[in-house]
């Protein structure tokens, strides 16, 4: 799993995006996001404030999906959004990789 910068970019009130890419065979089936607060991780899902989009890449020469890219979009950055975010990928075999 590789990830872009996990500190919230941008200025308060503007749109911002974080991207995480996972590759493997079998391909990761999905990516989840969490905010790494001082006390514990808080799962993130689609809401009025966040939007998560996942895109899979198909390798035509091998006939399989090999990559998934997930984008976490902040619709309007808030001061309290600053901090670290974690993406976690899971493949079809239920194995997990993590990027902090």
């Amino acid at each position: 799993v590789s990830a872009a910068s996990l500190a919230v970019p941008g200025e308060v009130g503007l749109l911002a995006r974080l991207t995480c890419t996972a590759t493997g065979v079998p391909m990761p089936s999905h990516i989840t996001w969490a905010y790494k607060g001082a006390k514990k991780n808080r799962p993130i899902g689609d809401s009025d404030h966040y939007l998560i989009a996942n895109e899979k890449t198909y390798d035509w020469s091998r006939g399989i999906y090999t990559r998934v890219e997930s984008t976490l979009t902040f619709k309007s950055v808030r001061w309290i959004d600053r901090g670290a975010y974690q993406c976690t990928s899971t493949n079809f075999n239920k194995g997990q990789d993590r990027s902090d």
Side-chain angles (χ1 to χ4, degrees):
V1 174
S2 63
S5 172
L6 294 177
V8 174
E11 296 186 24
V12 172
L14 298 179
L15 181 132
R17 290 186 178 101
L18 298 176
T19 302
C20 181
T21 303
T23 60
V25 177
M27 181 202 72
S29 57
H30 66 281
I31 293 177
T32 57
W33 288 90
Y35 173 71
K36 292 186 58 98
K39 297 183 181 186
K40 63 178 182 175
N41 289 351
R42 178 176 45 93
I44 296 173
D46 287 341
S47 68
D48 290 340
H49 186 61
Y50 303 107
L51 177 65
I52 297 173
N54 295 308
E55 183 176 330
K56 297 176 183 177
T57 301
Y58 191 77
D59 183 338
W60 290 98
S61 67
R62 296 166 64 193
I64 58 172
Y65 286 96
T66 57
R67 176 179 169 224
V68 62
E69 181 176 284
S70 182
T71 302
L72 171 62
T73 300
F74 298 79
K75 297 175 183 176
S76 178
V77 173
R78 303 172 297 193
W79 178 251
I80 61 171
D81 291 328
R82 73 186 193 285
Y85 290 79
Q86 174 181 301
C87 62
T88 303
S89 68
T90 305
N91 67 20
F92 293 116
N93 289 336
K94 304 295 182 199
Q96 286 191 341
D97 288 323
R98 186 174 84 198
S99 177
D100 298 304

